[in-house]
């Protein structure tokens, strides 16, 4: 008896990317797209974000649709779904909750398997509103998020896939090697009320008053930028703080920094911290209930609390004990290399796509 797969086994994936997924996960998305090419997975990426054009990679087909905004949401979703009518997907993968509604409609329209990626507390809130029976798999970007899905949202364990985002590691930075040089801080947090940049600026001011000179490069944008610039002027920090717009590859900026600072308590997985660890920077952050990549004094340095005092003390500890800080940076880089592999990310996604697709395939049997 012989068994031959038919075209029904062909995996045809639609990746839905909207909202802040490009901001937080843009690097991983590009790596995933390239990895899926290597895995011979037919892939289209659908979004209303113009940054999608940068992901036109060989067989990867970007599809841009009109923004899904009220009061045209239903009509825009229907139009976006119809863009795939000539070549319906067999798997629909939503990368954040901003894509869930479109992805659900698309999966139902084309009888495709649905994957919801969970990378933030907001994603968890939206997942709780989606019937579990409609979802083929959940990609949890961290173990704490996987735990929330299983224990709080009662998602069956066999549907939860631990899928950490992948990044490349390279020794582009050699932090704190020259004691004569001023310690350079890099921050890419948004300039808004949740970014925590004001806390970092106050910490820089406190360090200056203690005789600890640092240089802080703030790469970002947001409605609070005028207030932050005023804070810099009022505190006399103009010579110690530089603002820049987030253009190009953020990874290229890390080669000139010593310390990467996330001055807030993360509620969503962001690639910038992983990129910093992968580049060999000393990474500083506040305690997070959803991200397990940052382990205090092992892979990163975690402040005791999201306060100016705690951040100041942590930064001062780095400045006064550079050898220990460099060891933590090296351990963080090793951690990213082992647990956030780009190839593993793509292989895992491809294997789940194939598994879901196989469950619905009809195999012809030829016997004698």
């Amino acid at each position: 008896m012989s068994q031959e797969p038919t075209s029904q086994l062909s995996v045809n994936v639609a990746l839905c990317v909207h909202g802040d997924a490009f901001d937080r996960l843009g690097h991983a998305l590009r790596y995933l797209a390239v990895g899926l090419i290597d895995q011979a997975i037919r892939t289209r990426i659908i979004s209303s974000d113009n940054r999608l054009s940068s992901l036109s990679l060989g067989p990867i087909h970007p599809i841009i649709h009109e923004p899904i905004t009220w009061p045209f949401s239903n009509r825009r979703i229907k139009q976006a779904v119809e863009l795939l009518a000539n070549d319906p997907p067999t798997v629909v993968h939503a990368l954040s909750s901003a894509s869930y509604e479109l992805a659900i409609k698309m999966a139902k329209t084309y009888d495709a398997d649905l994957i919801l990626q969970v990378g933030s507390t907001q994603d968890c809130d939206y997942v709780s509103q989606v019937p579990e029976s409609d979802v083929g798999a959940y990609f949890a970007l961290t173990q704490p998020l996987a735990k929330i899905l299983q224990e709080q949202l009662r998602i069956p364990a066999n549907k939860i896939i631990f899928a950490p985002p992948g990044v490349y590691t390279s020794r582009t930075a050699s932090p704190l090697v020259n004691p004569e040089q001023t310690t350079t801080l890099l921050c890419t947090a948004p300039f808004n009320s949740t970014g925590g940049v004001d806390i970092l600026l106050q910490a820089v001011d406190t360090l200056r008053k203690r005789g600890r000179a640092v240089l802080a490069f703030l790469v970002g944008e947001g409605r609070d930028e005028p207030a932050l610039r005023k804070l810099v002027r009022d505190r006399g920090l103009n010579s110690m703080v530089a603002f820049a717009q987030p253009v190009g590859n953020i990874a290229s900026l890390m080669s000139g920094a010593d310390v990467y600072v996330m001055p807030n308590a993360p509620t969503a997985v962001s690639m910038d911290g992983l990129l910093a660890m992968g580049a060999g920077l000393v990474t500083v952050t506040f305690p997070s209930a959803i991200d397990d990549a940052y382990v205090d004094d092992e892979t990163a340095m975690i402040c005791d609390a999201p306060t100016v005092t705690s951040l100041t003390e942590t930064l001062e500890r780095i400045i006064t004990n550079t050898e220990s800080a460099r060891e933590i940076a090296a351990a963080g880089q090793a951690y990213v290399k082992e647990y956030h592999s780009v190839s593993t990310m793509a292989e895992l996604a491809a294997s789940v796509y194939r598994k879901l697709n196989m469950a619905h395939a009809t195999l012809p049997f030829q016997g004698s």
Side-chain angles (χ1 to χ4, degrees):
M1 180 182 298
S2 63
Q3 172 182 327
E4 296 181 0
T6 70
S7 60
Q8 292 180 353
L9 294 183
S10 176
V11 182
N12 187 352
V13 177
L15 295 176
C16 299
V17 191
H18 299 86
D20 67 343
F22 265 108
D23 296 326
R24 295 189 295 104
L25 306 171
H27 288 279
L29 176 59
R30 186 173 184 84
Y31 300 152
L32 176 61
V34 173
L36 292 178
I37 293 175
D38 294 339
Q39 290 290 319
I41 298 291
R42 293 180 60 207
T43 306
R44 284 165 295 174
I45 307 178
I46 184 166
S47 177
S48 59
D49 195 307
N50 289 329
R51 285 175 289 183
L52 182 64
S53 59
S54 65
L55 294 172
S56 182
L57 306 167
I60 299 291
H61 302 294
I63 300 174
I64 297 180
H65 63 82
E66 291 292 324
I68 299 173
T69 54
W70 188 90
F72 310 109
S73 299
N74 291 335
R75 187 173 72 188
R76 296 279 175 83
I77 287 176
K78 182 179 179 181
Q79 292 172 344
V81 170
E82 289 174 349
L83 292 174
L84 281 73
N86 291 332
D87 188 16
T90 61
V91 176
V92 179
H93 180 174
L95 270 72
S96 71
S97 53
S99 301
Y100 287 178
E101 189 175 3
L102 173 60
I104 291 168
K105 179 65 175 179
M106 192 178 295
K108 288 183 177 180
T109 299
Y110 299 120
D111 193 25
D113 289 297
L114 175 65
I115 296 175
L116 300 184
Q117 183 163 292
V118 181
S120 68
T121 54
Q122 179 175 304
D123 292 349
C124 291
D125 292 339
Y126 277 81
V127 161
S128 66
Q129 304 171 35
V130 181
E132 174 263 318
S133 58
D134 291 346
V135 185
Y138 300 81
F139 278 15
L141 297 188
T142 69
Q143 290 286 11
L145 286 169
K147 187 175 181 179
I148 291 173
L149 290 176
Q150 184 175 355
E151 297 183 0
Q152 297 183 24
L153 302 185
R154 305 300 180 185
I155 303 298
N158 64 342
K159 280 192 171 185
I160 302 172
I161 311 297
F162 174 48
V167 298
Y168 288 109
T169 59
S170 61
R171 178 60 74 177
T172 57
S174 300
L176 308 168
V177 294
N178 187 346
E180 302 301 321
Q181 289 185 344
T182 302
T183 301
T184 302
L185 314 179
L186 174 65
C187 175
T188 60
F191 299 156
N192 57 35
S193 58
T194 63
V197 178
D198 58 323
I199 295 177
L200 173 58
L201 291 176
Q202 293 176 67
V204 169
D205 186 31
T206 303
L207 288 171
R208 177 179 63 88
K209 292 175 180 177
R210 295 180 182 179
R212 308 290 189 189
V214 297
L215 295 176
F217 288 89
L218 310 180
V219 181
E221 55 188 356
R223 63 184 181 183
D224 288 351
E225 182 173 348
L228 294 173
R229 288 183 178 272
K230 184 177 185 300
L231 177 60
V232 169
R233 291 194 300 270
D234 292 347
R235 299 292 181 97
L237 300 175
N238 297 77
S239 63
M240 302 176 65
V241 177
F243 290 83
Q245 292 293 312
V247 293
N249 188 348
I250 191 65
S252 63
L253 299 176
M254 294 179 177
S255 60
D258 298 301
V259 181
Y260 179 76
V261 183
M262 293 185 288
N264 53 14
T267 59
V269 176
S270 172
M271 295 298 296
D272 285 1
L274 293 175
L275 286 168
M277 290 170 62
L281 295 180
V282 184
T283 303
V284 176
T285 186
F286 291 159
S288 172
I290 61 97
D291 208 326
D292 52 0
Y294 312 107
V295 182
D296 191 29
D297 286 347
E298 293 185 25
T299 64
M301 300 183 73
I302 301 178
C303 303
D304 293 335
T307 64
V308 174
T309 299
S310 183
L311 179 57
T312 302
E313 291 175 352
T314 301
L315 293 175
E316 190 167 36
R317 187 155 60 98
I318 292 172
I319 296 169
T320 58
N321 194 345
T322 56
E323 183 176 352
S324 175
R326 285 198 302 269
E327 290 176 355
I328 293 172
Q333 187 179 51
Y335 173 88
V336 168
K337 185 175 183 179
E338 181 173 0
Y339 295 104
H340 290 272
S341 162
V342 169
S343 59
T344 299
M345 173 181 64
E347 290 167 2
L348 176 64
S351 68
V352 175
Y353 297 160
R354 293 187 180 108
K355 182 178 179 180
L356 291 173
N357 208 60
M358 179 71 75
H360 298 290
T362 301
L363 295 175
F365 288 84
Q366 297 179 352
S368 57

